[in-house]
Amino acid sequence: MRPQAEPRFSKRVPCRLRVAGSTYSGLVLNVSRTGLFVQTNAQTRPGAELCVDLGPGATGGRIPLGAKVVWRRVVAPYLRTVTHGGLGVRIENAPEAFYHFLSRVARETEAPAPVPTPAVGVGTPSAASAASGSPYRVRIRHESGSRSRTLILRSSSEHEARRSALASAGPGWTVLEVQRAR
């Protein structure tokens, strides 16, 4: 049985990578307690040790992390408009500020989406029961392009999670998939 993975949160944070005497810029696209995915052009191999300085989007200052490259995603130039190349890194050493930052990201991501007040006579669960429902991961995409995002929210059913995600995102979004989160 595989151990359960740490929750991973989508968060765009500029960063700087220092590896083998070179410095590269990057953009953290997702983060967990144990790792990051960094979009970057850094040319390094799995196993390489590096320092990741999370940028101003983290806490207003920089947060230095000791890390090790676990995997590398190389993307052909003609595909760079639809997918990101970069590095999957495992965090080896992090200051307390990183865990405060991660807690804030988790609170922002897992906050239940506001549910519009239903019309009189419509049988939908109250906001209190939705807040105490199960967590759902809802992936949505904007109709005008390739932008997508994942929302994690609590709802009483898959249908309600779908409805809440669309209400939270606003007009122009469609649901791609709904999964029960763990």
Side-chain angles (χ1 to χ4, degrees):
M1 188 167 157
R2 287 176 64 174
Q4 186 169 342
E6 289 284 337
R8 189 163 288 276
F9 304 100
S10 293
K11 182 69 174 176
R12 298 173 73 91
V13 180
C15 69
R16 189 176 21 191
L17 306 171
R18 288 177 285 142
V19 59
S22 297
T23 301
Y24 302 91
S25 63
L27 182 65
V28 173
L29 296 182
N30 65 52
V31 59
S32 75
R33 279 181 49 82
T34 58
L36 310 165
F37 174 67
V38 182
Q39 178 184 351
T40 183
N41 292 328
Q43 301 295 315
T44 187
R45 298 192 183 284
E49 293 184 0
L50 65 141
C51 182
V52 179
D53 290 325
L54 291 183
T59 60
R62 292 205 170 270
I63 300 175
L65 304 172
K68 186 177 277 191
V69 176
V70 177
W71 53 269
R72 180 175 161 210
R73 182 187 302 161
V74 179
V75 176
Y78 64 91
L79 291 175
R80 290 186 183 145
T81 59
V82 292
T83 190
H84 307 289
L87 305 172
V89 301
R90 181 177 60 239
I91 297 170
E92 301 282 322
N93 186 3
E96 192 64 31
F98 172 73
Y99 299 105
H100 290 295
F101 161 71
L102 190 60
S103 294
R104 190 181 77 218
V105 170
R107 282 192 308 272
E108 290 171 2
T109 304
E110 293 181 350
V115 179
T117 306
V120 175
V122 174
T124 57
S126 68
S129 67
S132 65
S134 300
Y136 286 89
R137 178 175 284 116
V138 183
R139 194 163 150 249
I140 58 176
R141 180 179 58 86
H142 199 269
E143 294 169 347
S144 67
S146 61
R147 281 182 27 201
S148 69
R149 65 184 191 189
T150 301
L151 304 174
I152 298 176
L153 45 93
R154 291 192 173 277
S155 292
S156 59
S157 68
E158 184 176 313
H159 174 74
E160 189 64 27
R162 179 182 298 268
R163 192 175 72 73
S164 295
L166 290 176
S168 173
W173 292 85
T174 58
V175 173
L176 296 175
E177 66 180 319
V178 179
Q179 296 177 344
R180 189 169 234 155
R182 296 173 195 242

